[in-house]
Amino acid sequence: MKEIILKLENERFLSDGEFRRLIEDDSEETARFLTERADAVKRRVFSNKVYIRGLIEFSNYCKNNCLYCGIRRENQNAQRYRLNKEEILDCCAQGYSLGFRTFVLQGGEDSYFTDERMADIISSIKSEYPDCAVTLSLGERSRESYEIMFRAGADRYLLRHETADSGHYGRLHPPELSLENRKKCLYELKEIGYQVGCGFMVGSPYQNTDCIIEDLKFIRELKPHMVGIGPFIPHKDTPFRNMPQGGLELTLKLISILRLMDPNLLIPSTTALGTIDVAGREKGILAGANVVMPNLSPKTVRKKYTLYDNKICTGEEAAECIICLKRRLAGIGHEIAVGRGDHIGFGEDI
Ligand code: SAH
């Protein structure tokens, strides 16, 4: 197995059969060697620096009905909220003073936030904080909409592809959503000039090794700047309430595989990973991740933005979160990087 891992490090990709062996091998020795190589590759490019992105969950209204997601349209138990422009700007002000230079506006697909309203919010943030990057994570919109928001100043867009196997995609989503459209959005975003992030849940219902291999192939084809992966965690008010959650070990292994596929990739150690294991985010960083996305949403709405059960960090203020995070990173010999942390470019060496 060591040869396969070294081949991945040197050639940055594997055959289907090799990927299958690596993904399905659950020996400790393989896990240890994979982590070791991914950590070495990460340190060569990023040293012990971790980028922070401030997450502002500005609306949990959603017109979609994804089977896994706690803010799906049909969840009558979700208490819906949206932040107004002033509230969003307050989050940015607080975040800026805590050292954040990237703000991620994430929400459900909420038609209240028209292109005009988004453009106004984005340009207000950019004029107050010209040294900051604005990242959007608002789901699928038209090319024209993405263009308008880009012209208003948005720099980056996160849109997880969720799974690159269209049959599997169909089992996670209602019929009106398609993998084809999701991919189309990602390519359009890239063409427009956004730095783009895709990603998928690990251990989502009906996922198998073939699906994961498809995910890795799609990632190589898209060449995103960021790839976000985290374990699937069931939410009590969704059709997947009784499905098993995704595994810690498999998530860590896939973080390491992604790191070896692209030494320069931005890989967040996600909140979902920190939810299934108390030291999950630290383990993610040690497996090759280099980004964390602390929550800047007002404390009053945090519990309402519940995509899955038992989400962590819903009771703290942003300032408390950053203190906790710094302590956790120091505990594993890492520290927060200063500045926007723009991506270096797929496959480029520095
Ligand atoms: N509406 C936006 C933002 C979605 S929320 C969009 O469509 O992109 C961000 C991510 O949370 C999703 O892309 C999904 O991968 C993840 N997520 C949703 N429900 C989840 C669950 N039950 N467990 C783990 N991750 C989940």
Side-chain angles (χ1 to χ4, degrees), residues 68-69 106-109 137-139 158-160 162 182 201 231-235 272 305 307-308:
Y68 45 84
C69 184
Q106 186 178 85
E109 293 197 15
S137 178
L138 326 172
L158 305 181
L159 184 74
R160 289 190 177 177
E162 313 297 0
R182 199 88 179 163
M201 288 176 287
F232 160 73
I233 305 172
H235 184 290
Y305 195 83
L307 310 176
Y308 47 80

